[in-house]
């Protein structure tokens, strides 16, 4: 869950380099939205497809986000590690098969909240993009980082190369667009949340000097928690929704998908979804894109479900492009 207004904010080379901390030369705040080559977009009201339901992650806490390494057909889900404190920034990342079964895990110590993570395939290696350098006042990352997936290992924030793409920004989260070779970075400024788009190749080398596109995130639904975002082509997708406890109730559904046209500078589609409405608890959590062609492209959105101490992960998707 990412509701900064309610919480009041609570006040490099790309590979893992043990004991090394890198910081890029941060770019100045962009003043206008720049154009990207136009692409198709996912239709928000298209048919809902269920991917898997009620699957446990490595830990029993709520899934916060997930990401696909499309070239290697891998799926990763992130959650806050239990028992380490709400704002510790300690995360668990679970690798799953496409039926939702656990294949491995990593621990990240002092990273953040994982409202969004990214995955990038390079040969047979998966590199994960996450926030890092947690601000313990709010549990959010002050920088971003990239590191290779290594099953069963623990990373600390001090052990990864990290970057702060916007000098006066905070609350950073990344999203990887593998098909179009771009990295999105969402961050907070005093006037609200913003998103920059960079070349993925440049970003992995620690170069954030060229901003391909930049915009202030538009207002979504008042009183509803922001739960994830994804970048794909010339569009950004947002995901929001509040949890409801106990027995299912269709009237409690607040989960909504949004589509933002970067080139037009406006929201162009939205849909309030009843996907998974029968789930107990049902909290919107996480959004990601899979696919390397229009024929294989899917926009996934997730829900946490289950009771406290036994939360489960659920994934659904849209695959209609217009």
């Amino acid at each position: 869950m990412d509701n900064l207004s309610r919480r009041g904010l609570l006040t490099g080379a790309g590979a893992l380099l043990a004991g090394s901390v890198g910081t890029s030369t941060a770019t100045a705040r962009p003043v206008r939205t720049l154009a990207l080559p136009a692409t198709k977009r996912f239709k928000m009201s298209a048919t809902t497809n269920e991917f898997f339901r009620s699957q446990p992650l490595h830990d029993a806490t709520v899934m916060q986000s997930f990401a696909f390494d499309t070239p290697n057909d891998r799926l990763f889900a992130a959650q806050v590690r239990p028992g380490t404190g709400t704002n510790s920034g300690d995360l668990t990342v679970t690798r799953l098969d496409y039926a939702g079964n656990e294949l491995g895990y990593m621990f990240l110590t002092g990273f953040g909240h994982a409202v969004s993570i990214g995955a990038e395939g390079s040969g047979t290696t998966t590199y994960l993009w996450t926030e890092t350098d947690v601000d313990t006042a709010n549990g959010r990352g002050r920088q971003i980082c990239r590191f290779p997936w290594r099953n069963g290992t623990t990373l600390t924030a001090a052990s990864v190369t990290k970057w702060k793409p916007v000098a006066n920004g905070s609350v950073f989260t990344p999203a990887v667009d593998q098909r179009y070779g771009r990295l999105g970075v969402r961050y907070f400024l005093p006037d609200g949340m913003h998103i920059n788009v960079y070349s993925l190749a440049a970003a992995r080398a620690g170069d954030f000097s060229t901003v391909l596109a930049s915009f202030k995130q538009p207002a979504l639904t008042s009183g509803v928690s922001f739960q994830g975002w994804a970048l794909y082509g010339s569009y950004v997708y947002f995901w929001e929704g509040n949890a409801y406890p106990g027995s299912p109730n269709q009237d409690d559904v607040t989960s909504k998908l949004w589509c933002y046209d970067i080139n037009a500078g406006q929201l162009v589609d939205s849909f309030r979804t009843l996907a998974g409405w029968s789930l107990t608890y049902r909290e919107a959590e996480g959004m990601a894109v899979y696919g390397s062609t229009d024929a294989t492209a899917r926009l996934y959105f997730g829900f946490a479900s289950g009771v406290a101490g036994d939360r489960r992960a659920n994934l659904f998707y849209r695959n209609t492009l217009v």
Side-chain angles (χ1 to χ4, degrees):
M1 176 186 296
D2 181 22
N3 192 332
L4 294 177
S5 61
R6 186 183 69 190
R7 300 182 185 187
L9 198 54
L10 304 178
T11 141
L16 170 68
L17 299 174
S20 174
V21 177
T23 301
S24 73
T25 301
T27 61
R29 176 186 169 186
V31 295
R32 64 186 180 90
T33 298
L34 307 176
L36 296 173
T39 64
K40 291 184 177 181
R41 63 174 176 84
F42 291 99
K43 184 178 180 180
M44 299 293 90
S45 60
T47 301
T48 296
N49 301 278
E50 184 173 315
F51 195 55
F52 61 69
R53 180 182 290 246
S54 298
Q55 291 298 111
L57 302 180
H58 185 76
D59 282 323
T61 53
V62 166
M63 175 182 70
Q64 296 293 334
S65 58
F66 58 92
F68 289 91
D69 170 356
T70 295
N72 291 303
D73 275 329
R74 294 171 185 158
L75 169 62
F76 303 88
Q79 59 194 140
V80 176
R81 200 186 318 164
T84 60
T86 303
N87 292 340
S88 67
D90 296 346
L91 303 174
T92 300
V93 180
T94 306
R95 182 184 167 193
L96 303 166
D97 66 19
Y98 285 1
N101 301 303
E102 180 178 345
L103 298 177
Y105 70 93
M106 287 183 73
F107 291 141
L108 309 178
T109 302
F111 277 60
H113 194 72
V115 169
S116 175
I117 64 171
E120 174 194 356
S122 180
T124 60
T125 300
T126 299
Y127 287 86
L128 296 180
W129 288 82
T130 71
E131 66 196 277
T132 190
D133 186 24
V134 67
D135 182 347
T136 56
N138 56 40
R140 304 304 203 265
R142 292 178 286 199
Q143 300 188 73
I144 61 170
C145 66
R146 174 183 182 265
F147 55 86
W149 167 262
R150 291 179 180 168
N151 185 40
T153 61
T154 299
L155 297 183
T156 65
S159 70
V160 295
T161 301
K162 54 182 71 84
W163 306 285
K164 188 174 185 180
V166 180
N168 58 338
S170 62
V171 192
F172 288 91
T173 57
V176 173
D177 179 351
Q178 295 172 99
R179 178 177 179 185
Y180 294 98
R182 300 186 187 118
L183 176 74
V185 178
R186 182 174 180 260
Y187 59 97
F188 180 80
L189 292 176
D191 65 342
M193 302 303 300
H194 293 249
I195 291 176
N196 287 2
V197 180
Y198 304 93
S199 158
L200 183 58
R204 77 168 68 101
D207 181 3
F208 295 88
S209 60
T210 300
V211 180
L212 304 179
S214 180
F215 62 93
K216 181 182 177 183
Q217 180 180 309
L220 303 178
T221 306
S222 177
V224 177
S225 294
F226 183 89
Q227 301 288 15
W229 67 286
L231 169 68
Y232 189 69
S234 57
Y235 295 88
V236 169
Y237 300 89
F238 301 118
W239 180 219
E240 64 177 9
N242 297 334
Y244 61 85
S247 300
N249 183 342
Q250 257 180 285
D251 295 335
D252 289 333
V253 174
T254 59
S255 303
K256 195 169 186 178
L257 300 157
W258 296 85
C259 176
Y260 180 89
D261 185 333
I262 295 173
N263 293 335
Q266 63 184 13
L267 293 165
V268 292
D269 196 6
S270 64
F271 187 76
R272 175 176 173 267
T273 179
L274 298 177
W277 73 268
S278 62
L279 295 170
T280 297
Y281 181 74
R282 190 182 183 273
E283 182 176 18
E285 295 286 1
M287 176 176 262
V289 174
Y290 171 92
S292 56
T293 66
D294 283 353
T296 60
R298 295 178 174 182
L299 175 66
Y300 283 83
F301 51 99
F303 293 98
S305 66
V307 298
D310 186 23
R311 300 298 193 198
R312 301 300 180 99
N314 309 264
L315 295 190
F316 300 84
Y317 67 90
R318 302 271 197 270
N319 61 353
T320 300
L321 290 166
V322 294

